[in-house]
Amino acid sequence: MTEEEPKIFISGNLEGLFLETTSIEELINCLLEAEPRLEGELKTKPINIAFMGSEQIKALNFRFADKDKPTNVLSFPSKGVDFGDESLGDIAICPEIIIKEAIDQGKEKQHHLTHIILHSLLHLVGYVHEDNNSATRMESLEVKVLKKLGIANPY
């Protein structure tokens, strides 16, 4: 593995959640232990994570997914547009929904947030859950990585 660390940019209001670039770096390192072939993308390309309110994420969800409702997270993989420092992509997260889901599902808020970020990172590198096989592959990798972090199976 290279010594290079990913460039992670966090913006917005976390509304009671806690997130530092070091915790995302740890998450990425655990992911790379489970799936080393992703190192080229996850260690070299910047990742943007924006926290936003339910109305903002609802507008994005409508614009990009044609769904007129707020959601917990949206992932926007880079389409190869390069303005000098091509990013891996953008992740939009709604803390209000993450917190509500964690309470409703009996999960720790931070654990749920970590899972959502991991799920989004996998989308940025091309993982999908469009059918049973791809969903099973993605979920099993998530469970494996979360276990390394001491987080219970979210499914």
Side-chain angles (χ1 to χ4, degrees), residues 52-65:
M52 59 188 59
S54 60
E55 288 303 313
Q56 288 176 292
I57 206 159
K58 177 182 176 182
L60 287 177
N61 202 20
F62 184 70
R63 179 174 177 193
F64 293 101

Side-chain angles (χ1 to χ4, degrees), residues 98-99 101-112 115 152-155:
I98 297 294
I99 292 166
E101 288 176 343
I103 292 167
D104 291 348
Q105 297 169 19
K107 298 175 181 175
E108 289 189 35
K109 294 183 300 187
Q110 292 303 133
H111 289 181
H112 188 46
H115 174 226
N153 181 338
Y155 299 104

Side-chain angles (χ1 to χ4, degrees), residues 10-141:
I10 301 169
S11 63
N13 182 350
L14 279 75
E15 296 181 28
L17 295 174
F18 179 76
L19 185 65
E20 289 187 339
T21 57
T22 53
S23 58
I24 299 173
E25 289 167 0
E26 180 184 8
L27 173 61
I28 289 171
N29 288 332
C30 288
L31 175 55
L32 292 175
E33 286 176 27
E35 196 65 71
R37 69 177 179 83
L38 299 176
E39 182 173 359
E41 293 177 281
L42 289 171
K43 285 284 191 168
T44 61
K45 296 181 178 180
I47 301 163
N48 303 302
I49 302 175
F51 289 87
M52 59 188 59
S54 60
E55 288 303 313
Q56 288 176 292
I57 206 159
K58 177 182 176 182
L60 287 177
N61 202 20
F62 184 70
R63 179 174 177 193
F64 293 101
D66 203 26
K67 296 178 181 175
D68 194 18
K69 63 180 184 176
T71 186
N72 57 4
V73 65
L74 292 168
S75 302
F76 301 97
S78 172
K79 300 290 188 215
V81 177
D82 188 353
F83 295 106
D85 196 9
E86 181 183 344
S87 75
L88 188 59
D90 302 303
I91 298 170
I93 298 175
C94 181
E96 174 186 336
I97 295 175
I98 297 294
I99 292 166
K100 183 181 181 329
E101 288 176 343
I103 292 167
D104 291 348
Q105 297 169 19
K107 298 175 181 175
E108 289 189 35
K109 294 183 300 187
Q110 292 303 133
H111 289 181
H112 188 46
L113 176 61
T114 299
H115 174 226
I116 293 301
I117 292 171
L118 171 60
H119 186 85
S120 297
L121 288 171
L122 290 173
H123 278 308
L124 294 185
V125 296
Y127 279 77
V128 294
H129 43 79
E130 301 302 317
D131 57 57
N132 285 340
N133 287 339
S134 61
T136 299
R137 185 171 158 243
M138 187 173 180
E139 289 172 8
S140 65
L141 183 54

